[in-house]
């Protein structure tokens, strides 16, 4: 258990370092914009820098305590201004100034993206839509895929269900052979054209049908991966085909299939990001809107990316827990 | 008890594995089938409980034609225990669950009865301490003993053994054969495909020699080993003994 916890810590550290890397890139990119375009905001920037340097300087703060309240700010400002004049000639201070300038710019951009116009609220709403679509389409996809997978593998094993197997094959071929965006638009704009359905519902159906085709093949591979001897052993004890399938083959197949199924779930979560094509306000779409409205590229996009990443990390953790539970019988 | 009439099995038109086998097995007999690999002995055994569907011919078991399509084969299989070369224990179930699964699921015994019975069977093969272990934690010999009592838990009338010791370390062959001997002494009807000539000599009431899809010799073990008639069998015995 202690080993497991260390692993967890490593994960957290990794995740934090990714976020740190993101913000580093943010400062670099946004600072590049400033130096190129924003010469007119020089005054503003200098004031800002004075304030910040004044606060941070230990000497100034120690003087503050000795001086009276009224003259404090003035005094501090004058000292800071002197310092900043010196700094203007100094190379290392130039770097500090540059860094502060970019920090402020990044901070402003962050506030504009997420805070000022309640961007974070719309993002949460978008996230909830994304999760809703993912959850229900995954459920639908797994049920559909399970049925189709059983039809296909029963045909493979026994040669029965010829017509159903043909239908399943056509379904899988079409779905896997066309892009999910096109399927989504066909379902919303063509198939549901005359019905008044919500965009969320259309997205759930589209992504569910799409995912079902992949899940079907995953289940089929899982069922086929269970040794034939298991079926023979079950049948030789007098169990019927169905009883053996449910009690003997399926539990083993699902255990084998879980990593691939988790993979499909993660893929599905990210695939829902194209739901914006039918104007569904999902997470990606919200990020895109903020981007357009606020003229900010960095924070909305990286924010969206980070949220997806966090959700995927959570999913991965859940799946590994489930996997560990099912692996009890492998212990030697 | 089991009557086989001109049983044939083809996998393709070119590959004829069984070429018309006639056989009658009485209650309490211990029939051992030997022969070179590819002679069709395993296929023949698997035909007896329809794990392989015969191409033609009839198999009668306890007065019922099991090759008839209308026969409920699942019901008849309850009376025919089978032991496989590769054990085929259910890896996701513990040993006790492996043994209890079929009787409970088919409603033949209640959970309590099945549990009690499973423990008795485990004691019989000396594996009581393994009840809650999983198959992956057992040695090959232990797995095969469990596979045997799993079949016995259904209280079958006949036991079919498909090379039960072929996948085992030489060290573990003995413990499995010991269980089979005890079973034979208890009066169980047995059909055994094996390469263990010692077992055939000691336990069998009849020994069959199969080659190329036909039964070439059918005799009590004393006669079979001391005085083989078929030239192919003479050649085979000279190689293996």
């Amino acid at each position: 258990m202690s080993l497991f916890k260390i692993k967890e810590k490593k994960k957290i550290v990794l995740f934090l370092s990714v976020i740190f890397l993101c913000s580093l890139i943010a400062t670099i990119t946004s600072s590049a914009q400033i130096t190129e375009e924003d010469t007119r905001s020089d005054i503003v920037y200098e004031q800002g820098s004075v304030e910040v340097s004044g606060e941070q300087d230990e000497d100034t703060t120690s003087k503050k305590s000795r001086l009276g309240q009224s003259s404090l700010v003035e005094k501090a400002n004058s000292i800071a201004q002197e310092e900043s004049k010196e700094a203007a000639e100094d190379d290392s201070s130039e770097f500090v100034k540059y860094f502060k300038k970019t920090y402020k710019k990044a901070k402003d951009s962050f506030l504009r993206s997420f805070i000022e116009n309640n961007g974070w609220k719309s993002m949460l709403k978008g996230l909830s839509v994304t999760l809703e679509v993912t959850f229900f389409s995954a459920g639908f996809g797994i049920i559909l895929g399970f049925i189709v997978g059983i039809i296909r593998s029963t045909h493979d094993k026994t040669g029965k269900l010829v017509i159903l197997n043909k239908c399943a094959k056509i379904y899988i071929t079409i779905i896997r052979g066309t892009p999910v965006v096109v399927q989504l638009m066909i379902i919303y704009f063509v198939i549901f054209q005359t019905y008044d359905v919500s965009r969320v519902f259309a997205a759930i159906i589209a992504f569910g049908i799409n995912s079902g085709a992949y899940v079907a093949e995953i289940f089929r591979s899982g069922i086929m991966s269970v040794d034939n001897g298991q079926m023979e052993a079950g049948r030789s004890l007098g169990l019927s085909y169905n009883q053996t399938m449910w009690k003997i083959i399926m539990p083993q197949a699902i255990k084998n299939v879980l990593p691939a199924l988790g993979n499909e779930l993660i893929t599905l979560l990210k695939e829902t990001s194209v739901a914006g094509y039918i104007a569904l306000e999902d997470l990606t779409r919200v990020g895109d809107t903020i981007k357009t409205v606020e003229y900010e590229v960095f924070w909305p996009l990286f924010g969206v990316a980070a949220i997806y990443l966090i959700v995927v990390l959570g999913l991965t953790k859940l799946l590994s827990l489930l996997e560990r539970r099912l692996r009890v019988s492998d212990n030697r | 008890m089991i009557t086989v009439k001109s049983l044939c099995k083809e996998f393709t038109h070119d590959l004829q594995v069984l070429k018309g086998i006639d056989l009658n097995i009485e209650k309490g007999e211990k029939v051992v089938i030997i022969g070179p690999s590819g002679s069709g002995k395993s296929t023949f055994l698997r035909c007896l409980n329809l794990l392989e569907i015969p191409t033609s011919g009839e198999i009668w078991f306890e007065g019922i034609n099991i090759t008839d399509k209308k026969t409920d084969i699942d019901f008849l299989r309850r009376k025919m225990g089978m032991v496989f070369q590769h054990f085929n224990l259910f890896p996701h179930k513990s040993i006790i669950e492996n043994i209890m699964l079929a009787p409970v699921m088919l409603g033949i015994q209640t959970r309590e009865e099945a549990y009690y019975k499973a423990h008795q069977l485990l004691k019989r093969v000396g594996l009581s301490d393994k009840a809650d272990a999983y198959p992956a934690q057992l040695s090959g010999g232990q797995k095969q003993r469990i596979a045997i009592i799993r079949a016995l838990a259904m209280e079958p009338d006949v036991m079919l053994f498909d090379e039960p010791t072929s996948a085992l370390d030489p060290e573990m062959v003995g413990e499995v054969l010991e269980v089979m001997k005890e079973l034979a002494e208890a009066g169980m009807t047995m059909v055994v495909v094996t390469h263990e000539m010692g077992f055939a000599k000691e336990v069998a009431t009849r020994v069959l020699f199969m080659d190329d899809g036909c039964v070439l010799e059918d005799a009590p073990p004393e006669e079979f080993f001391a005085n083989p008639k078929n030239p192919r069998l003479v050649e085979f015995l000279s190689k293996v003994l």
Side-chain angles (χ1 to χ4, degrees):
Chain A
M1 274 315 273
S2 64
L3 195 110
F4 181 69
K5 271 175 189 165
I6 290 165
K7 268 187 189 170
E8 285 308 286
K9 274 179 194 163
K10 272 185 186 168
K11 256 190 200 167
I12 293 164
V13 168
L14 189 81
F15 183 54
L16 287 178
S17 54
V18 167
I19 300 235
F20 174 68
L21 216 71
C22 291
S23 46
L24 207 71
I25 298 166
T27 41
I28 290 165
T29 46
S30 53
S31 73
Q33 282 173 358
I34 294 160
T35 42
E36 279 167 22
E37 301 162 17
D38 283 351
T39 41
R40 64 198 144 77
S41 66
D42 265 359
I43 310 152
V44 180
Y45 129 69
E46 228 154 42
Q47 277 175 352
S49 83
V50 164
E51 264 176 40
V52 174
S53 63
E55 276 166 15
Q56 282 184 340
D57 200 326
E58 278 185 25
D59 282 7
T60 335
T61 44
S62 62
K63 276 169 191 166
K64 266 184 196 171
S65 59
R66 274 182 263 133
L67 291 164
Q69 283 280 335
S70 56
S71 61
L72 187 125
V73 179
E74 225 182 287
K75 188 80 181 169
N77 270 357
S78 66
I79 289 165
Q81 265 172 354
E82 275 170 39
E83 272 176 359
S84 70
K85 272 176 195 166
E86 280 170 38
E89 292 148 25
D90 197 305
D91 271 358
S92 63
S93 296
E94 187 70 46
F95 176 75
V96 172
K97 256 165 37 183
Y98 175 78
F99 184 78
K100 279 165 191 162
K101 187 170 106 180
T102 51
Y103 169 77
K104 182 160 191 314
K105 189 75 187 169
K107 196 176 132 195
D108 287 350
S109 138
F110 181 86
L111 290 176
R112 257 208 312 286
S113 304
F114 297 135
I115 312 293
E116 279 168 19
N117 293 324
N118 281 328
W120 64 278
K121 274 188 190 162
S122 1
M123 274 207 160
L124 275 186
K125 228 182 240 169
L127 175 64
S128 74
V129 170
T130 292
L131 290 180
E132 189 189 352
V133 171
T134 308
F135 182 80
F136 287 108
S137 59
F140 180 43
I142 284 172
I143 292 167
L144 187 65
F146 186 74
I147 295 166
V148 176
I150 285 190
I151 290 170
R152 296 267 290 125
S153 52
T154 303
H155 175 80
D156 286 358
K157 272 181 190 279
T158 64
K160 289 174 189 163
L161 305 175
V162 180
I163 296 166
L164 276 175
N165 181 57
K166 268 272 185 308
C167 297
K169 260 185 162 171
I170 291 169
Y171 159 66
I172 289 169
T173 310
I174 290 174
I175 294 298
R176 289 204 302 186
T178 54
V180 63
V181 189
V182 178
Q183 291 163 19
L184 177 69
M185 290 198 286
I186 287 176
I187 284 182
Y188 185 64
F189 294 121
V190 181
I191 294 173
F192 286 145
Q193 189 182 23
T194 51
Y195 303 93
D196 184 29
V197 296
S198 72
R199 295 189 164 89
V200 172
F201 181 77
I204 288 169
I205 297 295
F207 290 120
I209 289 175
N210 179 270
S211 181
Y214 294 92
V215 172
E217 289 298 273
I218 289 172
F219 271 120
R220 188 169 70 96
S221 76
I223 292 167
M224 298 312 272
S225 76
V226 176
D227 184 43
N228 243 337
Q230 294 290 312
M231 177 58 84
E232 285 177 359
R235 298 304 303 276
S236 77
L237 287 168
L239 304 181
S240 69
Y241 178 87
N242 289 338
Q243 283 172 323
T244 314
M245 198 69 187
W246 284 107
K247 286 283 169 177
I248 312 293
I249 310 288
M250 265 303 156
Q252 298 181 51
I254 286 171
K255 196 177 83 180
N256 291 347
V257 132
L258 215 58
L261 214 55
N263 202 20
E264 171 59 24
L265 198 61
I266 288 168
T267 310
L268 178 65
L269 170 76
K270 291 178 295 169
E271 250 178 13
T272 58
S273 63
V274 300
Y277 271 86
I278 59 167
L280 181 64
E281 294 286 330
D282 76 319
L283 182 58
T284 307
R285 175 85 170 186
V286 168
D288 194 49
T289 311
I290 293 175
K291 186 189 93 190
T292 329
V293 172
E294 306 285 349
Y295 290 112
E296 290 292 344
V297 281
F298 181 84
W299 284 112
L301 294 180
F302 270 78
V304 166
I307 293 171
Y308 275 115
L309 186 61
I310 290 166
V311 175
V312 168
L313 284 176
L315 264 180
T316 314
K317 178 90 185 96
L318 268 176
L319 284 163
S320 72
L321 278 175
L322 188 62
E323 227 173 290
R324 214 146 28 112
R325 269 193 53 138
L326 288 181
R327 234 186 284 133
V328 178
S329 61
D330 290 351
N331 297 335
R332 274 164 205 275
Chain B
M1 181 179 239
I2 301 176
T3 307
V4 179
K5 290 178 188 164
S6 57
L7 183 74
C8 290
K9 173 71 185 174
E10 297 171 356
F11 283 111
T12 59
H13 286 295
D14 313 327
L15 191 66
Q16 213 176 0
V17 186
L18 299 177
K19 298 170 180 168
I21 293 181
D22 291 290
L23 194 65
N24 190 37
I25 298 169
E26 292 302 327
K27 192 169 170 56
E29 271 193 305
K30 292 107 185 74
V31 179
V32 173
I33 305 172
I34 62 173
S37 1
S39 58
K41 53 194 194 304
S42 272
T43 307
F44 171 66
L45 193 74
R46 289 159 58 83
C47 278
L48 290 182
N49 68 353
L50 292 198
L51 283 180
E52 303 285 354
I53 309 294
T55 315
S56 65
E58 282 177 7
I59 301 166
W60 291 75
F61 175 66
E62 295 180 339
I64 300 164
N65 181 4
I66 66 171
T67 39
D68 186 348
K69 285 228 161 60
K70 281 174 233 155
T71 311
D72 180 5
I73 186 60
D74 292 335
F75 189 77
L76 285 170
R77 278 189 185 130
R78 297 178 186 183
K79 294 284 147 209
M80 305 172 117
M82 179 138 186
V83 177
F84 300 89
Q85 183 178 354
H86 295 288
F87 332 129
N88 296 344
L89 295 179
F90 307 134
H92 60 300
K93 300 256 182 220
S94 69
I95 297 306
I96 191 95
E97 284 171 332
N98 259 280
I99 302 167
M100 287 163 62
L101 183 122
V104 173
M105 203 164 155
L106 295 171
I108 296 168
Q109 296 162 19
T110 65
R111 266 197 92 77
E112 290 71 33
E113 285 170 358
Y115 186 82
Y116 178 72
K117 186 127 199 287
H119 268 289
Q120 276 196 323
L121 286 165
L122 280 167
K123 204 183 278 174
R124 192 163 149 192
V125 294
L127 290 171
S128 293
D129 53 329
K130 299 290 182 191
D132 296 317
Y134 283 94
Q137 297 162 323
L138 267 54
S139 72
Q142 290 171 332
K143 281 186 205 171
Q144 196 60 295
R145 283 186 279 165
I146 298 295
I148 292 171
I149 60 171
R150 179 178 68 177
L152 287 177
M154 290 294 293
E155 300 176 346
D157 295 340
V158 58
M159 284 284 282
L160 312 173
F161 293 85
D162 188 3
E163 302 200 24
T165 56
S166 297
L168 296 177
D169 285 349
E171 245 184 318
M172 294 165 179
V173 171
E175 63 193 51
V176 172
L177 291 181
E178 203 54 48
V179 171
M180 289 167 66
K181 267 180 219 167
E182 279 171 29
L183 196 58
E185 281 159 17
M188 177 64 75
T189 313
M190 293 161 75
V191 182
V192 187
V193 169
T194 188
H195 294 292
E196 296 291 329
M197 299 302 157
F199 178 82
K201 273 181 193 167
E202 205 177 324
V203 178
T205 54
R206 258 165 90 189
V207 185
L208 306 188
F209 177 69
M210 275 184 75
D211 189 26
D212 199 23
C214 301
V215 177
L216 298 182
E217 185 112 5
D218 180 356
E222 306 80 35
E223 202 188 321
F224 185 92
F225 289 105
N227 193 11
K229 293 184 192 73
N230 189 288
R232 183 71 188 84
L233 173 60
V234 176
E235 189 196 333
F236 180 78
L237 287 178
S238 72
K239 278 181 194 158
V240 296
L241 287 180

